Amino acid sequence: MHSNCPTLFKSANLKGVTFKNSIYNKTHFKSCNLSGLIFDGETFKQTIFEGSSLRKASFRDTTLINVQFWMSDLKKIDFTGASMDKLTYNFLHGAKVDLSGVTHI
């Protein structure tokens, strides 16, 4: 997935889906089940997770720039080795997400 046009996933059950070598640019996940998904090594730019379940999802070694998590289940997400801008970091820190091993960009 690589597009400059906004992409919307709405009320989709994506549990078990595999995304590889993707760049999420202006992607909006609204009311989606993303539980347990592995996004390792992917890039997220101007992405919104709204009202979505990300329980036990993995974002290891990802790059997150201007990513927002609105009213989403963020329990047990793994951000080990991720790089993120201050906006994304501050939002996740405020939501009490474990950000040990995260690098600021």
Side-chain angles (χ1 to χ4, degrees):
M1 173 187 316
H2 181 69
S3 171
N4 285 327
C5 298
T7 302
L8 172 65
F9 292 94
K10 186 174 180 182
S11 302
N13 182 4
L14 299 172
K15 188 174 182 176
V17 170
T18 302
F19 292 105
K20 288 192 177 187
N21 302 317
S22 298
I23 296 173
Y24 304 86
N25 189 18
K26 299 180 183 171
T27 305
H28 189 161
F29 294 95
K30 184 173 183 173
S31 303
C32 293
N33 182 4
L34 306 167
S35 297
L37 259 63
I38 298 173
F39 291 108
D40 296 356
E42 307 290 3
T43 299
F44 296 85
K45 296 177 181 175
Q46 298 180 354
T47 299
I48 299 170
F49 295 94
E50 179 182 358
S52 294
S53 176
L54 290 158
R55 182 182 296 255
K56 296 184 180 179
S58 179
F59 287 83
R60 296 174 70 91
D61 303 314
T62 58
T63 301
L64 298 105
I65 301 168
N66 194 16
V67 177
Q68 300 174 42
F69 298 84
W70 301 340
M71 301 177 295
S72 293
D73 182 353
L74 305 176
K75 292 180 182 145
K76 299 184 181 180
I77 296 179
D78 186 358
F79 284 105
T80 305
S83 300
M84 59 184 69
D85 66 336
K86 285 186 177 186
L87 176 87
T88 305
Y89 182 91
N90 288 340
F91 181 87
L92 291 169
H93 181 71
K96 310 242 185 287
V97 173
D98 179 8
L99 298 174
S100 54
V102 168
T103 302
H104 292 248
I105 51 175

